Amino acid sequence: MTVHSIHIFNKKCECIYFTEWNNAKADASKKDKLLLEQQQSTTTAEEKDADGDPETAKLVYGVVFSLRNMASKLSNQGFSTYKTGTYKLHYFESPAGPKLVLITDPNAPNMADTLQSIYASVYVEHVVKNALVKPNTPIRNQLFRTTLDKYVRNLPNFE
């Protein structure tokens, strides 16, 4: 199973966190970011990574919004996954408002439990319970980033 990326949206539909794994373009940008961090302040580099490409985030949220509305009209269950020939989108919306979107390869199993666990054990612990993090703003917490990265890399069959 390959995990491509994760987006976290606040209740205002703004992307507050984004990161990619297993992508040559992402690996190159991480190397560039390390060089940038050496040349500029850490805050500037973190700001660029926290919310990712705004156009991509809008497209991802647009897909989620449309599918959620369509699923609610067709059934009372909503939706948690959406599969195409090239990727599988996994969706989790917490009762408090944040929406987590995980994009994997199409052969990945349902990741609803994984997203719930990421929300409960990573997001709540390092963002919600952190008094220094302002609600509904881009996540710049380094401990959150490293914990999430470690969690995803330790998933079974992570490639």
Side-chain angles (χ1 to χ4, degrees):
M1 167 189 76
T2 301
V3 177
H4 296 295
S5 64
I6 188 167
H7 288 80
I8 300 176
F9 297 94
N10 64 15
K11 46 183 147 178
K12 297 177 184 177
C13 311
E14 300 165 334
C15 184
I16 58 172
Y17 185 76
F18 168 78
T19 193
E20 288 183 300
W21 295 274
N22 296 324
N23 183 341
K25 184 178 173 183
D27 292 341
S29 72
K30 284 182 183 181
K31 289 177 186 176
D32 292 342
K33 188 170 62 166
L34 287 174
L35 290 173
L36 243 160
E37 284 178 6
Q38 292 171 354
Q39 294 172 355
Q40 297 176 347
S41 70
T42 307
T43 307
T44 307
E46 287 177 356
E47 285 173 3
K48 290 182 180 177
D49 188 44
D51 41 5
D53 178 22
E55 293 303 315
T56 303
K58 287 178 187 177
L59 289 172
V60 169
Y61 192 80
V63 168
V64 168
F65 182 80
S66 299
L67 289 172
R68 191 178 63 186
N69 286 341
M70 186 172 56
S72 69
K73 290 178 183 177
L74 295 174
S75 73
N76 294 333
Q77 295 178 339
F79 92 101
S80 61
T81 60
Y82 171 72
K83 182 178 177 181
T84 70
T86 55
Y87 68 90
K88 190 172 186 180
L89 184 143
H90 307 269
Y91 175 72
F92 172 76
E93 183 172 359
S94 76
K99 300 158 188 67
L100 283 73
V101 178
L102 186 70
I103 299 175
T104 64
D105 71 348
N107 300 323
N110 189 338
M111 305 287 278
D113 292 338
T114 301
L115 284 173
Q116 244 177 335
S117 180
I118 288 172
Y119 174 75
S121 63
V122 182
Y123 182 81
V124 169
E125 291 298 320
H126 299 292
V127 177
V128 175
K129 291 183 179 180
N130 187 340
L132 299 175
V133 176
K134 294 179 185 176
N136 298 317
T137 59
I139 301 168
R140 305 196 194 306
N141 183 334
Q142 190 61 37
L143 186 57
F144 169 80
R145 291 166 181 256
T146 55
T147 305
L148 177 63
D149 187 61
K150 190 183 298 183
Y151 185 92
V152 170
R153 290 182 187 279
N154 288 327
L155 289 172
N157 302 323
F158 177 82
E159 295 175 2

